[in-house]
Amino acid sequence: MHAGSLPSRRSFVAGALAATGIAAAGLTAAAPAQAVRAARPRVLVATNEPWGTYHVRPLLPEIAARGWDVRQLVPDRSQLAPDEQVPVVTLDELSAETGRGDRAAADLLVVTGATDWPADCAAALGRFVPVAATSLAYLNAAEAPRARELRHRLRVVTSSSPAEGRAFGGHLGTRRRVRVVGSPQTDTLPTPAPEPGTVLVLTSVTYPDETGGAAPGTQLLLDAAAALEAAGKRILVGLHPRENPQLWSRYEISAVPSLQASARAETAIGIPGTVFPLIVAAGVPVVGCVDPALVVPDYLLRVCSSSISSAADAVEAVATASLPDPETLADVVGPVGGSAARLLDAWSIAARPVR
C-alpha cells in the first residue's frame, strides 16, 4: 500500500459503514436517551479475565458523564496496578458494604462471558441481582460449560458487531436477540498520520497467567517481524496489556494503546484478536499470523487482508494488504461512534425493576 493513498483510509471505512446502514447516526436507541440517562444504577462488572480492567477502561468517560457507580469485581487486589483507574471491589468487600449478597449489592451485574469468574460472581450475588451479558473481548462460539447457569437470568445481551454477536450467542448457548452497540474503543478513533514503511505488530499473550489465557503464535509473529525489518520496514509494537515486553525489546514499543498507535502505521500484522476489528475501523489493513494451534472466531480471520502461517510470507502479505469490503466491515466492525452511550443505555434498561 502506498503512503499517498493512506490519508483517505478512514473515509473509506466510514463510507462503507454508512453505505450499509450501520453508521452510528443511523441507529436509534431503544428508549429516549434523556429518559435512559436519568437513572443512575449501581453496576458491577465481572470479566472473563478477572483482573482485566482494560476491558472496562474505555467506558470510564461515559460512566463519569452519567454519574453512575460502576465497579469491576476482582478476586482480590493482588494483580492491580498502583495507578488503576477502574473502580474495583472484591466480593468480600461488597458483602461488608451491604451486609449481605442479595439485591442490595447492585442494580445490575454485567458478565462478559460464561467463564468461571463471571459465573462465580453471579452465583455469589444471588438471583435477585439482574444480569446482562456484554461482549468486550472475543470468545469462540462453542457453548461454555457454565452458560446454563446464566442464560435464564440474562435481561439483555450486547455485542460490538453482528459477527461478534453470533459468536457470543454461541458461547452463551442462546439464540435470543443480541443487541449490537459497537465497540466503545472506536468512539475515539485516532487521526491517521502514517509514517512511511511503518508496520504495527499486534501481539497476543505468550504465556497464560492468573488473569487469563494465551494464544499460540508468538514465535511466528517474532519471525515475521524480523523478516519485515530485514526488508526495510520500521517495526512498531502494540503490546497486549498482559504480554511480556522483554520479548519485543529490540523494537520500538508503543507508549499508547494499539488502536492509537495504528495512526502511525501503514499496515498491521499480528495474532488475530479483539483488537483487529478496531484497527480496521481506524482504516489500517491487517495481516493475521495464524499458528496451527490457534482457534479464533471466523470473523476475526475475515477482517484480515490475508493470513500467513510462515514468516517467509510476511513481506508480500504486508506489501499487498488492503481493507475488507464494505459488507465485511459492517458485519465485523459494527457501528462506529457513540458506542459507549448505546451500551450504557442497554445496561440502564436491564437494571430497571421488573414491573
Side-chain angles (χ1 to χ4, degrees):
M1 175 169 285
H2 297 291
S5 68
L6 287 166
S8 63
R9 65 194 189 187
R10 176 90 68 77
S11 61
F12 171 82
V13 175
L17 294 174
T20 55
I22 204 163
L27 274 77
T28 303
Q34 290 181 343
V36 172
R37 295 186 184 191
R40 296 184 175 181
R42 294 166 297 168
V43 179
L44 299 172
V45 182
T47 68
N48 302 308
E49 300 175 71
W51 291 274
T53 54
Y54 44 85
H55 293 309
V56 177
R57 207 167 292 141
L59 294 170
L60 293 181
E62 184 68 20
I63 290 169
R66 298 189 185 208
W68 284 19
D69 176 7
V70 179
R71 288 178 284 177
Q72 180 165 336
L73 285 166
V74 294
D76 55 50
R77 295 175 178 269
S78 65
Q79 306 296 316
L80 300 173
D83 58 348
E84 179 57 62
Q85 301 172 15
V86 176
V88 300
V89 65
T90 68
L91 288 171
D92 287 343
E93 291 168 348
L94 194 67
S95 179
E97 286 180 18
T98 63
R100 57 195 187 278
D102 60 9
R103 71 185 74 191
D107 297 302
L108 183 69
L109 169 66
V110 176
V111 298
T112 64
T115 53
D116 283 342
W117 177 243
D120 287 346
C121 290
L125 293 177
R127 62 186 179 89
F128 291 112
V129 176
V131 180
T134 288
S135 180
L136 294 178
Y138 88 83
L139 292 162
N140 285 302
E143 181 177 339
R146 301 186 67 178
R148 181 175 296 184
E149 298 177 36
L150 296 172
R151 275 199 299 270
H152 69 286
R153 296 180 59 182
L154 298 178
R155 289 193 176 181
V156 68
V157 180
T158 72
S159 71
S160 65
S161 72
E164 183 183 70
R166 292 192 294 272
F168 195 43
H171 170 82
L172 296 172
T174 181
R175 294 185 179 180
R176 66 181 293 172
R177 177 195 175 195
V178 177
R179 190 183 298 270
V180 174
V181 297
S183 171
Q185 294 188 65
T186 61
D187 287 351
T188 53
L189 289 173
T191 300
E195 299 169 3
T198 299
V199 178
L200 177 65
V201 171
L202 301 167
T203 76
S204 183
V205 182
T206 304
Y207 301 108
D209 58 22
E210 289 181 290
T211 290
T218 296
Q219 189 58 56
L220 172 61
L221 186 57
L222 282 165
D223 293 344
L228 289 164
E229 184 184 46
K233 297 294 184 181
R234 180 181 179 183
I235 304 300
L236 174 66
V237 179
L239 283 179
H240 185 284
R242 292 192 289 111
E243 176 62 309
N244 178 5
Q246 290 301 315
L247 290 173
W248 300 93
S249 58
R250 65 177 285 185
Y251 304 113
E252 178 186 357
I253 296 177
S254 173
V256 298
S258 296
L259 179 57
Q260 279 65 51
S262 70
R264 297 174 52 191
E266 292 183 325
T267 53
I269 186 171
I271 300 170
T274 304
V275 74
F276 269 40
L278 309 179
I279 300 299
V280 171
V284 180
V286 297
V287 173
C289 284
V290 181
D291 186 278
L294 181 67
V295 179
V296 295
D298 174 69
Y299 71 88
L300 292 181
L301 300 177
R302 286 173 49 218
V303 82
C304 297
S305 172
S306 63
S307 298
I308 63 171
S309 57
S310 170
D313 299 326
V315 174
E316 177 65 17
V318 164
T320 58
S322 61
L323 289 167
D325 60 77
E327 291 75 18
T328 300
L329 281 169
D331 191 42
V332 178
V333 174
V336 173
S339 298
R342 283 190 293 275
L343 177 56
L344 266 65
D345 284 350
W347 288 1
S348 180
I349 294 169
R352 292 175 181 172
V354 176
R355 298 183 185 278

